[in-house]
Amino acid sequence: MHPDPDGDDTSAERRRQFAEAARDERPDLARLCLLIAAEADPALDEAALDAAQIELDALAGRLPYAPTGGPRPWARNVAELLGARLGFRGTPTDYRRLESSLLHEVLRRRRGLPILLSVVWIEVARRAGAPVYGVALPGHFVVGFGDPYGAHVLADPFDGGRLLTDEDAGVLVAGATGAPLTEQMLAPAAPLEIVLRILNNIRAWAAARPERSDVQLWAVELSLLLPSHPARLRHDHAQLLVQRGDFLGGAAGLEEYAKVVEEIDPAAAAAVRRQAAAARAMLN
């Protein structure tokens, strides 16, 4: 089977769009999530991306306008529409599906991981004028309505939008990590933080399935296009290239990463250079 040059061109254009969108002054969270989905599903063309945005607009149009009484009525209205009436929620089996991390599939199936369901909540509520933001609790993403540093209410889209107190959030965090809830955990998550966490979830899904190293590779490569990302990703990317048989590319990436860490940790840089030498030796 020969490579499809048109497909390669489309992928390159999608990545250019992703990098550009990530550098916008106000990144479009839905657009970035849909461009991630397009990497997983090459059939997702521009018309399909637009259709998903239009669906989010349509859902927002079904919300009652500007309820009074603070953040709680907003949270209840969104939960009533998305959770109760339309059935958006998650189940344990959703963690085993790549589709649960792809926004267009979450809109279609009305199932997904907590963070993707939260993206739906955020994007629908934002379009309707709600004071809404994401909350990146360790192990379980939720949504906040109101003032994150004042009067607010949390909602759990994975549980159909169940309203949470800060004490409920503490139970979620303790269940996921064993650690107590801190005030910092309740701070709003920036769009690019949400995108990186989604890509990390995709990488984790693929890492558990060695036959899907292709998915792990593109998730790392998209992460590297974000303006801010952990330097360690460069090492992970190089190792993936080696695992997939690109020994020269992987060795070059490891050498570049060694240069990055050398001033901070010479011993770690030396270990990475040994990995690069081992990768080159695999060619013999």
Side-chain angles (χ1 to χ4, degrees):
M1 183 174 178
H2 297 291
D4 177 2
D6 292 336
D8 292 344
D9 289 345
T10 301
S11 177
E13 172 60 16
R14 286 278 184 260
R15 292 191 182 196
R16 186 196 66 75
Q17 292 175 9
F18 181 87
E20 187 176 277
R23 285 166 172 76
D24 280 349
E25 186 176 347
R26 299 180 65 180
D28 183 334
L29 177 59
R31 173 79 174 163
L32 285 162
C33 289
L34 289 167
L35 288 168
I36 291 172
E39 190 77 27
D41 181 0
L44 201 62
D45 59 14
E46 199 65 38
L49 299 182
D50 289 344
Q53 295 273 25
I54 291 168
E55 182 173 357
L56 291 168
D57 291 341
L59 291 172
R62 296 171 66 176
L63 283 172
Y65 179 72
T68 58
R72 187 168 293 269
W74 269 118
R76 284 178 174 157
N77 285 349
V78 179
E80 169 65 22
L81 173 66
L82 296 179
R85 289 165 55 189
L86 298 180
F88 282 92
R89 62 178 56 246
T91 67
T93 59
D94 291 311
Y95 283 90
R96 299 198 291 268
R97 302 179 63 133
L98 177 59
E99 295 95 326
S100 299
S101 291
L102 308 178
L103 181 54
H104 71 304
E105 288 288 355
V106 173
L107 287 170
R108 181 181 69 83
R109 296 175 55 241
R110 301 183 182 180
R111 293 288 183 273
L113 296 189
I115 192 167
L116 265 296
L117 289 164
S118 293
V119 168
V120 174
W121 249 252
I122 291 166
E123 288 298 305
V124 170
R126 179 184 64 79
R127 284 163 163 78
V132 63
Y133 56 95
V135 181
L137 296 180
H140 196 88
F141 204 98
V142 297
V143 170
F145 290 85
D147 178 356
Y149 307 105
H152 66 268
V153 62
L154 303 177
D156 182 3
F158 194 74
D159 196 10
R162 178 173 68 96
L163 301 192
L164 307 172
T165 63
D166 288 358
E167 290 72 24
D168 294 328
V171 172
L172 286 175
V173 171
T177 67
L181 179 73
T182 66
E183 187 173 335
Q184 186 178 5
M185 292 177 186
L186 295 172
L192 296 186
E193 293 173 20
I194 297 173
V195 169
L196 182 59
R197 184 156 164 168
I198 290 169
L199 288 167
N200 286 341
N201 286 342
I202 292 172
R203 290 176 59 212
W205 176 90
R209 296 162 177 81
E211 73 280 5
R212 297 313 310 268
S213 65
D214 60 320
V215 172
Q216 196 175 1
L217 182 63
W218 65 248
V220 172
E221 290 177 344
L222 288 184
S223 300
L224 288 169
L225 293 175
L226 297 173
S228 178
H229 55 261
R232 179 75 186 182
L233 279 178
R234 300 186 193 182
H235 182 266
D236 295 347
H237 181 245
Q239 284 195 314
L240 268 172
L241 292 177
V242 173
Q243 290 170 22
R244 288 174 56 80
D246 182 359
F247 303 121
L248 283 178
L254 289 167
E255 290 285 2
E256 285 299 315
Y257 180 71
K259 292 177 185 176
V260 171
V261 300
E262 190 160 31
E263 290 188 14
I264 303 167
D265 191 341
V272 172
R273 287 199 171 94
R274 287 194 292 273
Q275 292 175 344
R280 284 191 295 269
M282 291 179 187
L283 289 168
N284 300 327

